[in-house]
């Protein structure tokens, strides 16, 4: 069996439970092959030299963790700049929030080149390399330029935008051409595959060789969707562990007369959080029977605070929550409970189980794992209802959720009302179907499907 090498912006120690489903699933594969995980150490060196960073290696069981530091200038232009102020907003269709500062691209290239330079000497001839996400799109091209012949696959965790949105990025052609240095490009959904192929047809004069192989820019790549899943067994275990049970019971007792609606996201503008509060306000307005009853718990954990658009979002959300509470709150009932902190992972399933409605309403999302976690945490005998944005990658799979358009405030309020009123038999039937699909396509399926396709991709 070839050794697996995983490359991602950040590393996680796969043995630590806080690492999350993805890290655990990758860790499992790395452990089987005695693998290597390579990425940024998380350390920013003030005043360091651009394009240079110290390499640290340590052993975590059978896995070698190799990481490099970034100097301040590289970090700001590669990470905050090109990755999170250009690629993240544009790939989520938010041209209005993109900051096309011309200096960012140099840092992005420099860090990808440095990653390639530091990784190359650590590689063995029969390694299989799996690169993750938008921070590292040009990594394979940089590795190939240095003579790397190993199989390299890429998985993009965020959406691929339609061609004309992609074309707004000044370096769009270079980025898309870079993807053709991989042997396999994995995307979250069929919509993403279709955007990718349409782009290369328009801009790269692609010929599709068969269903999955695309030839453009003088190279051939296999492009396929691999919808990412969660670790269902692990999340089920967490749901029945004492911390989650305690959280569930506390919530149930505290809100015994009330119905809980839950949102859990990073406080990111792609997640449609203000739209959700507006729909909730509309629910209280149009369906007054929910006043003094329906309570929206919104956990919006801090993220990328240094990027301007995130501060603006926080302010907008605080204003919205304050106004709903001011207009509808009673002495003993606050309609919105907004928490701008990270909740401990072990409490998340308990919160999900206590909520009659799970609100997952992104404006655009690669997949959205919270949707799957919410379903898995439910009591199958008395399950809650998932209200899911049609613009989440997960909507391609989770058809039995109530699919909503987060831009349509009234429509979303109506769907939330429908969820709150749904008869038990219908809730059970929908939950059963959702569960079956989430189980079948869990994170282990995802990892195996990707790695099998990478092995099979002709070089
Ligand atoms: C990217 C793509 C794609 C959230 N708040 C708290 C907390 N979380 C956990 C959730 C879930 C994870 O973080 C978020 O996963 P998502 O999939 O929803 O979103 P992104 O972070 O944007 O991830 C996305 C994913 O990559 C995988 O490919 O699905 O589309 O954008 O597990 O539960 N966890 C804890 N406290 C919180 O407050 N402990």
């Amino acid at each position: 069996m070839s050794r697996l090498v995983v490359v991602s912006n950040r590393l996680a120690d796969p043995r630590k439970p806080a690492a999350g489903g993805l890290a655990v699933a990758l860790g499992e594969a790395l452990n089987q092959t005695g693998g290597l995980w390579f990425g940024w150490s998380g350390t920013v060196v003030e005043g360091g030299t651009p394009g240079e960073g110290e390499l640290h290696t340590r052993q975590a069981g059978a896995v070698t963790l190799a990481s490099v530091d970034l100097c301040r200038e590289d970090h700001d232009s590669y990470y905050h700049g090109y990755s999170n102020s250009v690629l993240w907003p544009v790939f989520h269709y938010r041209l209005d929030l993109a900051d096309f500062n011309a200096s960012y691209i140099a840092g992005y290239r420099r860090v990808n080149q440095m990653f390639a330079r530091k990784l190359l000497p650590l590689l063995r001839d029969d390694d299989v390399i799996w690169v993750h996400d938008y921070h590292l799109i040009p990594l394979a091209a940089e590795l190939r330029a240095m003579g790397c012949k190993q199989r390299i696959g890429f998985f993009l965790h965020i959406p691929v935008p339609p061609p004309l949105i992609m074309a707004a990025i000044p370096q769009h052609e270079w980025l898309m051409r870079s993807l053709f240095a991989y042997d396999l490009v994995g995307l979250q959904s069929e919509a993403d595959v279709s955007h990718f192929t349409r782009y290369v047809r328009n801009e790269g004069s692609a010929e599709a060789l068969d269903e999955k192989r695309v030839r453009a820019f003088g190279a051939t790549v296999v492009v396929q969707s691999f919808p990412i899943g969660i670790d269902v067994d692990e999340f089920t275990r967490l749901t029945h562990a004492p911390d989650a049970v305690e959280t569930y019971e506390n919530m149930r007792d505290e809100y015994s007369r009330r119905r809980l609606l839950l949102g859990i996201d990073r406080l990111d503008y792609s997640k449609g959080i203000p739209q959700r509060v507006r729909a909730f306000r509309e629910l209280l307005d149009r369906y007054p029977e929910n006043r003094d009853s329906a309570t929206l718990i919104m956990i919006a954990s801090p993220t990328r605070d240094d990027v301007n658009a995130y501060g603006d979002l926080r302010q907008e959300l605080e204003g919205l929550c304050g106004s709903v509470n001011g207009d509808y709150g009673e002495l003993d009932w606050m309609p919105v409970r907004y928490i701008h902190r990270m909740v401990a992972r072990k409490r998340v399933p308990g919160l999900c189980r206590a909520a009659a409605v799970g609100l997952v309403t992104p404006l655009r999302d690669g997949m959205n794992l919270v949707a799957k976690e919410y379903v898995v945490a439910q009591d199958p005998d008395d399950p809650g209802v998932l209200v899911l944005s049609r613009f989440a990658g997960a909507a391609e799979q989770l058809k039995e959720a109530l699919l909503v358009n987060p831009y349509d405030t009234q429509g979303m309020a109506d769907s939330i009302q429908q969820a709150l009123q749904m008869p038990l038999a219908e809730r059970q039937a929908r939950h059963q179907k959702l569960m079956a699909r989430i189980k079948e396509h869990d994170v282990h399926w995802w990892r195996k499907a990707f790695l099998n396709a990478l092995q099979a991709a002709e070089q």
Side-chain angles (χ1 to χ4, degrees):
M1 200 193 308
S2 308
R3 183 177 75 153
L4 177 62
V5 176
V6 170
V7 190
S8 60
N9 175 56
R10 290 300 296 272
L11 306 188
D13 185 335
R15 295 170 310 172
K16 296 206 174 130
L22 174 64
V24 173
L26 293 175
E28 204 176 86
L30 288 163
N31 265 312
Q32 280 167 13
T33 63
L36 170 71
W37 195 337
F38 182 94
W40 170 39
S41 63
T43 301
V44 180
V45 179
E46 299 298 339
T49 312
E52 291 300 330
E54 195 182 335
L55 177 74
H56 312 270
T57 53
R58 69 187 172 90
Q59 212 51 37
V63 184
T64 307
L65 300 175
S67 61
V68 282
D69 300 339
L70 292 180
C71 76
R72 168 64 56 197
E73 195 178 324
D74 282 350
H75 172 266
D76 289 356
S77 52
Y78 148 82
Y79 183 71
H80 281 324
Y82 204 74
S83 297
N84 286 324
S85 302
V86 178
L87 298 179
W88 179 273
V90 174
F91 280 37
H92 288 90
Y93 303 20
R94 293 300 299 268
L95 293 179
D96 57 321
L97 295 178
D99 171 9
F100 295 110
N101 183 321
S103 69
Y104 294 158
I105 184 65
Y108 185 74
R109 287 206 64 169
R110 203 160 55 227
V111 170
N112 272 276
Q113 276 161 357
M114 173 175 68
F115 270 30
R117 218 168 50 240
K118 300 272 180 183
L119 175 61
L120 197 67
L122 307 178
L123 295 176
R124 300 178 192 157
D125 287 348
D126 66 339
D127 280 347
V128 168
I129 305 166
W130 187 359
V131 179
H132 289 261
D133 233 358
Y134 57 101
H135 316 85
L136 301 173
I137 291 171
L139 188 68
E142 299 296 355
L143 282 165
R144 298 276 185 240
M146 296 173 193
C148 173
K149 298 272 186 299
Q150 286 85 338
R151 239 167 242 276
I152 318 180
F154 177 75
F155 186 79
L156 185 66
H157 290 257
I158 66 174
V160 177
L164 283 179
I165 292 189
M166 180 69 90
I169 300 177
Q171 302 79 18
H172 64 97
E173 196 190 323
W174 169 78
L175 280 168
M176 292 297 280
R177 183 190 292 272
S178 302
L179 286 171
F180 282 77
Y182 291 96
D183 299 295
L184 171 67
V185 171
L187 304 171
Q188 296 272 29
S189 68
E190 288 305 322
D192 297 322
V193 171
S194 129
H195 291 160
F196 182 99
T197 44
R198 265 172 47 205
Y199 174 95
V200 284
R201 214 177 298 133
N202 295 355
E203 309 272 343
S205 357
E207 322 150 31
L209 297 179
D210 56 36
E211 217 180 296
K212 293 174 183 133
R213 284 186 314 147
V214 182
R215 185 165 179 79
F217 305 114
T220 304
V221 72
V222 177
V223 181
Q224 224 178 308
S225 83
F226 301 92
I228 194 168
I230 63 168
D231 189 336
V232 175
D233 294 338
E234 165 67 9
F235 206 75
T236 306
R237 200 189 51 73
L238 217 58
T239 303
H240 297 290
D243 289 300
V245 172
E246 185 192 76
T247 305
Y248 166 68
E249 287 173 350
N250 287 345
M251 301 300 283
R252 192 194 51 190
D253 295 348
E254 195 183 336
Y255 292 93
S256 55
R257 303 191 293 112
R258 303 207 153 104
R259 312 291 306 281
L260 281 188
L261 298 92
L262 176 70
I264 305 186
D265 321 77
R266 289 184 300 101
L267 182 47
D268 193 287
Y269 49 77
S270 65
K271 302 291 182 185
I273 306 174
Q275 286 76 5
R276 191 182 306 160
V277 181
R278 284 193 201 102
F280 180 66
R281 182 188 187 99
E282 186 75 12
L283 175 85
L284 299 178
D285 191 48
R286 280 162 80 94
Y287 303 101
E289 66 268 33
N290 292 307
R291 295 186 201 164
D292 201 18
S293 166
T295 305
L296 173 61
I297 299 202
M298 284 222 309
I299 299 176
S301 42
T303 183
R304 304 177 197 163
D305 287 342
D306 302 350
V307 177
N308 288 340
Y310 290 76
D312 298 345
L313 173 67
R314 184 176 171 186
Q315 273 195 350
E316 180 189 4
L317 191 59
E318 285 172 2
L320 274 170
C321 294
S323 88
V324 177
N325 283 341
D327 292 344
Y328 290 93
E330 301 286 347
L331 284 175
D332 62 349
W333 172 65
M334 277 299 149
V336 184
R337 286 196 142 183
Y338 160 66
I339 299 169
H340 182 54
R341 282 193 311 277
M342 183 92 172
V343 170
R345 174 112 192 120
K346 56 194 180 189
R347 306 242 165 239
V348 170
L351 280 172
C352 290
R353 201 177 176 99
V357 181
L359 288 176
V360 178
T361 60
L363 305 178
R364 194 74 188 106
D365 216 328
M367 177 55 57
N368 197 298
L369 298 180
V370 177
K372 298 184 174 183
E373 292 169 350
Y374 176 78
V375 171
V376 170
Q378 296 309 302
D379 172 359
D381 294 330
D382 185 16
V385 180
L386 175 65
V387 172
L388 176 63
S389 164
R390 57 173 297 182
F391 304 125
E396 273 187 15
Q397 293 176 296
L398 306 184
K399 298 275 187 231
E400 290 80 14
L402 290 185
L403 295 186
V404 295
N405 169 5
Y407 295 97
D408 175 4
T409 308
Q410 287 194 0
M412 192 142 78
D414 292 343
S415 295
I416 298 173
Q417 176 70 355
Q418 187 190 344
L420 285 166
Q421 309 229 307
M422 191 179 286
L424 178 64
E426 184 181 348
R427 282 190 277 129
Q428 287 172 333
R430 287 178 186 260
H431 179 258
Q432 224 175 27
K433 291 201 178 118
L434 291 172
M435 230 3 231
R437 207 148 321 112
I438 292 170
K439 264 189 183 161
E440 190 190 348
H441 291 129
D442 72 352
V443 76
H444 306 287
W445 167 86
W446 168 78
R447 185 238 307 155
K448 284 178 205 151
F450 183 93
L451 289 175
N452 287 342
L454 180 54
Q455 283 292 357
E458 264 173 50
Q459 278 195 294

